[in-house]
């Protein structure tokens, strides 16, 4: 097997690096980690889109680039490695566009897909509820049919970018009498619709990129449903594979890793043989994780939606990210606990932030336990409990 990129893919990587080197947004970020979560910069996203780096795999007729998933991965890898602020277009590019291409009606495809490819609209994802996270089929948010409208009532939580999104991709119960998986539909809800209230949640690092969303008799036209009524569950399963399979699961903390190694070399800590072993293990993990993510992209390029491979890649990669954060704490020692504002906080407090925030990696997008269940049942053929 040849693991090298093709000449065109290598040239594409160089083109992204050249673009990033000239763009002012990179240097302006206070810290470069988690660019797809904390780097919300619509102007940067628009520049990226203009360069053809958003909607890369979609049809040209809808504003896409008809490039392969591997080419898209080359671009996203470079963006996240550099700490680029890609959050404003990330959900639209990663999963809403593909969901609309697979199940959206013509009007949705014609109007929304080109707008996503131009990075003009931003989405939040309204799946989780207070009583429905891992078991999404327990969701209670109701979308009641009233003529040609749905009337939505309920609550979502942990909704990233709810306070900034133009649309919520909402999963709601459209048939309460059906079995849990069978009565669910996917809807697009404009976030300025009357009856929506967003309440931000402050996370452990003091950031509030997500929030609670309350829907109080919110009315939307039925044309805003994606795909078939009550078939949402089955459509969502495909979408989750896109959500879980990206390189953001592996290299959210990469900028920290790069600077941590520099600092360990400068301080002499990198000469400690015990630490050297662990540094080597993480570096090897990066290479292995990268191959897993590239494998998923190759499967997607060949028209398959790899499900168990996606689960395995997310488990491996997010655990590596957590090991990295732990190692950062060990290399930098107790000083890592100094508040970021302190002049003596190592790496400007970035390692402390990573240590705290890394817990999220194995929860968001599906917890480790749930993904291990998928690997066990669909990958290894073990019986479901
Ligand atoms: C940073 C961050 C951003 C997020 N952004 C979004 C977003 O934009 N939109 C959105 O909809 N959601 C979002 N989420 C929510 C996320 O999808 C849920 O937190 C996740 O699915 C887990 O659900 P839960 O929190 O309800 O935990 P629970 O489902 O209650 O799980 C609690 C524990 O029980 C375990 N568990 C549950 N069921 C099983 C089982 N069958 N077998 C074994 N173990 C099990 C879990 O692994 C976990 O350890 C975000 C979460 C985080 C941390």
């Amino acid at each position: 097997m040849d693991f090298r990129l093709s000449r065109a893919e290598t040239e594409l990587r160089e083109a992204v690096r050249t673009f990033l080197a000239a763009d002012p947004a990179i240097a302006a970020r206070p810290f470069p980690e988690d660019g797809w979560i904390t780097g919300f910069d619509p102007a940067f996203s628009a520049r990226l889109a203009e360069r053809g780096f958003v909607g890369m795999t979609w049809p040209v007729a809808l504003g896409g680039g008809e490039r392969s998933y591997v080419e898209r991965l080359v671009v996203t890898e470079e963006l996240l490695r550099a700490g680029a602020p890609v959050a404003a277009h990330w959900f639209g590019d990663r999963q809403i566009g593909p969901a609309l291409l697979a199940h959206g009606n013509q009007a949705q495809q014609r109007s929304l897909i080109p707008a996503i490819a131009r990075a003009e609209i931003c989405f939040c994802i309204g799946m989780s509820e207070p009583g429905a996270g891992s078991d999404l089929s327990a969701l209670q948010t109701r979308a009641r049919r009233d003529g040609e409208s749905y009337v939505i009532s309920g609550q979502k939580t942990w909704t990233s970018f709810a306070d900034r999104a133009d649309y919520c991709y909402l999963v709601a119960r459209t048939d309460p009498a059906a079995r849990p998986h069978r009565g669910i539909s996917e809807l697009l809800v404009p976030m300025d619709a009357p009856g929506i209230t967003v309440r931000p949640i402050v996370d452990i690092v003091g950031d509030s990129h997500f929030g609670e969303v309350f829907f109080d008799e919110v009315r939307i036209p039925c044309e805003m449903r994606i795909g078939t009524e009550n078939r949402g569950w089955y459509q969502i399963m495909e979408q989750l594979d896109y959500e879980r399979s990206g390189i953001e699961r592996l290299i959210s903390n990469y900028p920290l890793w790069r600077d941590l190694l520099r600092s360990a070399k400068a301080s002499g800590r990198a000469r400690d043989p015990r630490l050297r072993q662990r540094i080597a293990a993480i570096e090897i993990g990066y290479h292995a994780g990268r191959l897993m993510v590239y494998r998923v992209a190759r499967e997607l390029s060949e028209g398959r939606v790899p499900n168990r491979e996606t689960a395995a890649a997310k488990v491996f990669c997010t655990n590596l990210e957590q090991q990295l954060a732990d190692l950062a704490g060990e290399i930098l020692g107790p000083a890592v606990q100094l508040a970021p504002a302190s002049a003596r906080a190592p790496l400007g407090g970035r390692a402390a932030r990573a240590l705290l925030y890394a817990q999220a990696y194995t929860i968001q997008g599906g917890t480790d336990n749930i993904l291990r269940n998928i690997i066990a049942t669909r990958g290894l053929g073990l019986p479901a409990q």
Side-chain angles (χ1 to χ4, degrees), residues 37 91 124-130 132-135 157-160 209-210 357 360 363-370 373 385:
I37 299 165
F91 291 163
C124 62
I125 297 173
M127 291 194 189
S128 305
E129 299 184 0
S134 299
D135 181 10
T157 191
W158 315 121
T159 316
S160 304
H209 86 275
F210 51 24
Y357 192 79
I363 301 173
Q364 60 193 0
T367 70
D368 242 29
N369 295 334
I370 295 302
N373 284 350
Q385 11 104 354

Side-chain angles (χ1 to χ4, degrees), residues 147-171:
E148 291 308 304
S149 304
Y150 288 111
V151 181
I152 303 161
S153 292
Q155 184 199 339
K156 295 289 170 179
T157 191
W158 315 121
T159 316
S160 304
F161 313 123
D163 56 343
R164 283 168 270 189
D166 301 292
Y167 290 93
C168 179
Y169 157 86
L170 183 81
V171 186

